[in-house]
Amino acid sequence: MAKTVYAATVNGVEVTRTTDRTYSHAVVWASDCGKMVKAKAFSGSQVLAQKARNQLNDGTFVKTPEELQGLGLDPEAYEVLDTNPKYRIVPGKWLIVPVAPKMK
């Protein structure tokens, strides 16, 4: 069976998944600053995407200062993680976005 590439654009960043399944929605984490986007789950319906979203954390991620500098962000602007001071807490939120097959 032929594989299809599904894509969505969030904050100017494209997230994709190649599969032989049919998808309609993706659960995507987007940072509050808008520079980081990470796809977590793709699903065949909005209801399934909401179930996947409900199983995820509050929407914060941790990054090293070097990773933040690589994105052009100031690491000092982010709170230090209590359990490991090497990391900074990056606030964000989980979004459910529609996806569509990418045309070749």
Side-chain angles (χ1 to χ4, degrees), residues 30-42:
S31 66
D32 289 348
C33 68
K35 293 197 175 195
M36 289 178 266
V37 175
K38 178 181 178 180
K40 181 66 177 177
F42 283 70

Side-chain angles (χ1 to χ4, degrees), residues 1 4 14 16 20 29-30 34 37 39 41 47 61 67 70 74 95 97 101:
M1 183 173 210
T4 304
E14 184 177 63
T16 61
D20 54 358
W29 178 80
V37 175
V47 172
F61 274 80
E67 291 171 319
D74 178 17
L95 307 172
V97 296

Side-chain angles (χ1 to χ4, degrees), residues 76-104:
E76 298 304 317
Y78 294 92
E79 185 180 340
V80 175
L81 183 64
D82 292 339
T83 56
N84 188 343
K86 177 181 175 184
Y87 292 98
R88 304 290 190 267
I89 298 171
V90 180
K93 57 188 154 289
W94 290 104
L95 307 172
I96 296 175
V97 296
V99 297
K102 193 172 180 180
M103 298 300 168
K104 293 182 180 184

